[in-house]
């Protein structure tokens, strides 16, 4: 620790967390690779005492993307994050950061990573500026560049006016901002955030989500969460974990469409009785749905969409809505992870 930064009592553990996520910073002399691929994990696995926690997962992340690592508690998200950041050695598999093998050259690979653990490694006794100065030194930011790096990180995280405040006196939302600021102070290629909005109020959550979206303009971001609105709000793609296995990878829209089943949502202004609708060819069941619509379940081997539209027009039922039923993101998530419970 530099002589201009006071040593607070009880900070050894937090310093270890920060030091494990940082290393010598070669980026001043080593230009960034041209490839858009910033994270590549292949067949990543981790076992504890014979129990497999993460099993052979693949992760790819490109520059400017926000990837959501989604799953219920205990699915293996934090273990995966720790392996991606070099804080935990994998039992098998490989990780490369911007083309640098994390196991072969950990110092160079870690220098391109910014990491915010689920419990931010904050020194509550330090002022914001003191802490960020320490973080910059641990990330090997050149002494002549520390002031500029700290000013930029504070501005991006909404901390410009509170540099003299003691971290322990800040709200949980501002402490999260300080944690994110330490993760980006060295301008890493990859920012990895583990449950960054847990315990925040709705206003703080919106602010952190907006910050994450802003970060994606200059960094690749991996966001670990079990909060579905979080994924919808900030992520470009999602990978869902269940008991250490990837059970889905793709876009949010593709995830929603995954459960477009054999049911139609129909709106009729002058509709007939339900039993009359149920007599139509291909209809298995009719039941009321939300917002005055009807849910028409089709027989598995039939599609009655065109027939229903034609008959509704012929009989003047006042058809104003006809669309396949789509499950909510919550429905799909529960289906994919139900074995977890």
């Amino acid at each position: 620790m530099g002589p201009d930064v006071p040593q607070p009592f009880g900070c050894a553990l937090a310093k270890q967390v920060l030091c494990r996520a940082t290393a010598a910073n070669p980026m001043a002399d080593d230009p960034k690779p041209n490839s858009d691929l910033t994270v590549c994990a292949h067949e990543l696995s981790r076992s504890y005492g014979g129990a497999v926690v993460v099993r052979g997962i693949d992760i790819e992340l490109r520059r400017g993307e926000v990837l959501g690592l989604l799953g219920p508690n205990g699915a293996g998200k934090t273990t995966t994050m720790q392996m991606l950041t070099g804080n935990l050695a994998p039992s098998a598999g490989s990780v490369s950061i911007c083309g640098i093998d994390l196991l072969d050259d950990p110092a160079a690979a870690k220098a391109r990573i910014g990491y915010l653990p689920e419990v931010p490694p904050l020194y509550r006794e330090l002022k914001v500026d003191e802490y960020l100065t320490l973080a910059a030194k641990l990330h090997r930011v050149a002494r002549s560049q520390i002031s500029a790096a700290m000013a930029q990180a504070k501005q991006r995280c909404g901390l410009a006016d509170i540099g003299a405040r003691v971290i322990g006196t800040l709200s949980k939302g501002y402490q999260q901002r300080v944690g994110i600021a330490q993760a980006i102070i060295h301008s890493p290629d990859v920012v990895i955030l583990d449950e960054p909005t847990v315990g925040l109020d709705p206003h703080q959550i919106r602010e952190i989500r907006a910050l994450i979206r802003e970060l994606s303009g200059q960094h690749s971001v991996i966001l670990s969460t079990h909060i579905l609105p979080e994924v919808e709000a900030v992520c470009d793609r999602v990978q869902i974990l269940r008991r250490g296995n990837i059970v889905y990878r793709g876009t949010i829209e593709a995830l929603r469409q995954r459960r477009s089943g054999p049911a139609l949502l129909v709106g009729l202004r002058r509709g007939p009785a339900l039993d009359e609708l149920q007599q139509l060819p291909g209809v298995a069941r009719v039941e009321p749905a939300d917002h005055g619509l009807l849910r028409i379940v089709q027989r598995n081997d039939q599609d009655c969409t065109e027939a229903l539209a034609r008959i509704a027009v012929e009989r003047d039922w006042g058809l104003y809505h006809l669309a396949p039923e789509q499950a909510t993101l919550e429905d799909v998530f529960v289906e994919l992870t139900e074995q977890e419970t």
Side-chain angles (χ1 to χ4, degrees), residues 39 58-62 64-70 81 84 191-193 212-213 216 220-225 231 234-240 246 248-251:
V39 177
D58 296 331
I59 294 176
E60 286 191 354
L61 182 66
R62 298 193 177 277
E65 280 190 314
V66 180
L67 173 65
L69 195 61
L70 185 63
M81 294 289 211
L84 291 176
V191 179
I192 298 180
L193 308 174
I212 293 170
R213 285 305 310 177
S216 68
S220 298
V221 180
I222 299 180
L223 170 68
S224 168
T225 183
V231 173
V234 302
C235 295
D236 302 304
R237 294 187 295 112
V238 63
Q239 293 190 195
I240 297 179
I246 296 291
Y248 174 83
R249 69 179 78 234
T251 64

Side-chain angles (χ1 to χ4, degrees), residues 39-286:
V39 177
C40 182
H42 179 64
E43 290 292 323
L44 205 58
S45 300
R46 176 69 193 192
S47 301
Y48 292 98
V52 180
V53 179
V54 175
R55 188 190 306 273
I57 68 173
D58 296 331
I59 294 176
E60 286 191 354
L61 182 66
R62 298 193 177 277
R63 201 171 302 279
E65 280 190 314
V66 180
L67 173 65
L69 195 61
L70 185 63
N73 292 328
K77 302 188 301 298
T78 294
T79 298
T80 300
M81 294 289 211
Q82 291 175 338
M83 289 190 288
L84 291 176
T85 57
N87 285 280
L88 181 67
S91 301
S94 62
V95 179
S96 65
I97 307 296
C98 298
I100 304 168
D101 191 288
L102 182 59
L103 298 180
D104 290 343
D105 195 352
K110 290 179 182 180
R112 299 186 182 276
I113 300 171
Y115 180 38
L116 176 66
E118 184 175 358
V119 179
L122 301 178
Y123 294 2
R124 296 174 58 86
E125 301 90 342
L126 287 180
K127 297 176 182 179
V128 172
D129 282 353
E130 292 172 339
Y131 173 74
L132 293 180
T133 298
L134 170 62
K137 291 181 178 181
L138 290 173
H139 282 289
R140 300 299 189 265
V141 175
R143 184 175 294 273
S144 62
Q145 299 175 7
I146 288 179
S147 294
M150 186 165 63
Q152 182 182 40
K154 286 165 59 179
Q155 188 275 327
R156 297 182 71 187
C157 296
L159 301 170
D161 298 328
I162 64 169
R165 295 277 301 276
V166 175
I167 292 174
T169 67
L170 300 177
S171 68
K172 182 76 181 293
Y174 271 96
Q175 289 187 17
Q176 288 291 85
R177 288 172 179 266
V178 174
I180 295 175
Q182 68 79 24
I184 66 172
I185 197 165
H186 58 305
S187 297
D189 294 89
V190 181
V191 179
I192 298 180
L193 308 174
D194 193 357
E195 305 279 5
T197 62
V198 168
L200 303 186
D201 66 39
H203 294 291
Q204 294 169 335
I205 288 174
R206 293 186 67 178
E207 291 171 352
I208 295 298
R209 288 176 183 170
L211 174 57
I212 293 170
R213 285 305 310 177
E214 192 272 332
L215 288 176
S216 68
Q218 297 184 28
H219 313 271
S220 298
V221 180
I222 299 180
L223 170 68
S224 168
T225 183
H226 62 274
I227 303 172
L228 295 172
E230 198 112 288
V231 173
E232 290 187 284
V234 302
C235 295
D236 302 304
R237 294 187 295 112
V238 63
Q239 293 190 195
I240 297 179
L241 276 168
R242 180 182 68 201
R243 293 187 176 180
N245 296 282
I246 296 291
V247 294
Y248 174 83
R249 69 179 78 234
T251 64
I252 301 297
E253 186 57 34
L255 183 61
R256 290 195 191 97
Q257 295 176 358
R258 184 182 173 91
R259 280 283 304 274
S260 295
L264 298 173
L265 290 177
V266 180
L268 301 171
R269 291 188 175 86
R270 298 176 295 278
L274 296 187
D275 57 353
E276 182 178 344
L277 286 172
Q278 197 157 318
Q279 301 305 314
L280 296 177
V283 174
R285 187 171 72 255
V286 181

Side-chain angles (χ1 to χ4, degrees), residues 323-334:
E325 181 184 45
Q326 290 191 351
T328 65
L329 196 59
E330 182 178 354
D331 294 331
V332 181
F333 178 77
V334 170

